[in-house]
Amino acid sequence: MAINIISTLKSSILAGICIGIAGFGYLMSKDIVGIILFTFGLLAVVNYGFKLYTGTVGFCGSSRGLAINEIPLVLLGNIIGTLLVALLTYTSAKDLQSVAQGILESRLENGILRSGILAIGCGFIMTTAVCFAKYEKRWLPLLFGVPIFIVCGFPHCIADAFYYLAAPLTFWSEHLINIIGLYISIVIGNAIGCNLVRLIKWDKEA
């Protein structure tokens, strides 16, 4: 059991690092270029088989996925991985903290409920894209899926973890309770979206 925990944590941290690097690129160029660059993170995760929350929660408890009780560990590892990359924003010549704060502020303006509902869309897109890439070796849905959820403003809880952790600590201290509530709603929304197709269509062995 201990070996499984260590393996899962290592894989999920690496997945978080991949998403953190993608988020770093997006903060550096918050336009269509940044949106396209973000795709690198998901491509790396799927190619290496790293454990990403939005790539595993849609399959948990099935023959394809992890046990349900492993999902919190995956989420924790992902957050740790994004934190490691978020620390690098403090070494950048560009003021990436203010850019990250802007993203966090826009989420807070949307509110907890609305952000959670929007996160369902991201979850649906991610599970669909991962299914095509992992099981059918068709990568276009992944290449298009990432830009779609960014353009639509659908929150991705691991990408958001990077943005939030890159935001200034002073902003955190002023909005701590709201940020925690916001993040929990996005995690739940992503989980619902990731399981949407399975709840409607897949059989128990999917």
Side-chain angles (χ1 to χ4, degrees):
M1 183 63 177
I3 295 177
N4 290 334
I5 290 176
I6 293 173
S7 176
T8 298
L9 191 59
K10 286 169 60 177
S11 179
S12 59
I13 289 174
L14 288 169
I17 289 174
C18 290
I19 300 303
I21 291 172
F24 197 111
Y26 178 64
L27 293 183
M28 290 292 292
S29 180
K30 198 170 175 287
D31 51 23
I32 187 63
V33 174
I35 290 173
I36 294 173
L37 291 176
F38 194 98
T39 307
F40 165 82
L42 274 300
L43 289 171
V45 167
V46 175
N47 180 69
Y48 288 123
F50 294 151
K51 292 178 174 62
L52 183 68
Y53 177 78
T54 51
T56 56
V57 73
F59 307 97
C60 64
S62 73
S63 59
R64 291 180 176 181
L66 302 175
I68 294 175
N69 59 6
E70 287 187 81
I71 298 302
L73 185 62
V74 170
L75 181 60
L76 174 62
N78 290 166
I79 293 172
I80 292 172
T82 60
L83 173 61
L84 295 176
V85 182
L87 294 174
L88 297 178
T89 61
Y90 291 90
T91 68
S92 174
K94 187 175 181 181
D95 185 11
L96 299 183
Q97 286 77 44
S98 62
V99 181
Q101 179 178 320
I103 294 174
L104 179 49
E105 287 175 341
S106 67
R107 297 282 196 258
L108 291 171
E109 288 175 4
N110 276 338
I112 291 175
L113 180 59
R114 184 179 298 175
S115 294
I117 293 172
L118 289 173
I120 295 174
C122 178
F124 174 77
I125 292 169
M126 285 298 91
T127 292
T128 301
V130 168
C131 280
F132 275 98
K134 287 180 67 174
Y135 304 117
E136 300 185 31
K137 303 304 179 184
R138 294 164 64 182
W139 297 88
L140 281 180
L142 195 59
L143 292 171
F144 286 111
V146 174
I148 287 173
F149 84 67
I150 294 177
V151 170
C152 291
F154 296 160
H156 184 285
C157 63
I158 308 307
D160 271 33
F162 167 75
Y163 302 139
Y164 298 2
L165 293 169
L169 292 177
T170 52
F171 187 81
W172 267 82
S173 64
E174 295 171 359
H175 305 278
L176 179 61
I177 301 300
N178 289 334
I179 291 173
I180 292 174
L182 173 70
Y183 191 70
I184 291 173
S185 74
I186 291 173
V187 169
I188 294 172
N190 281 169
I192 294 172
C194 286
N195 283 280
L196 196 58
V197 174
R198 181 163 66 163
L199 292 172
I200 296 172
K201 182 178 180 181
W202 293 354
D203 59 37
K204 294 181 180 180
E205 296 303 317

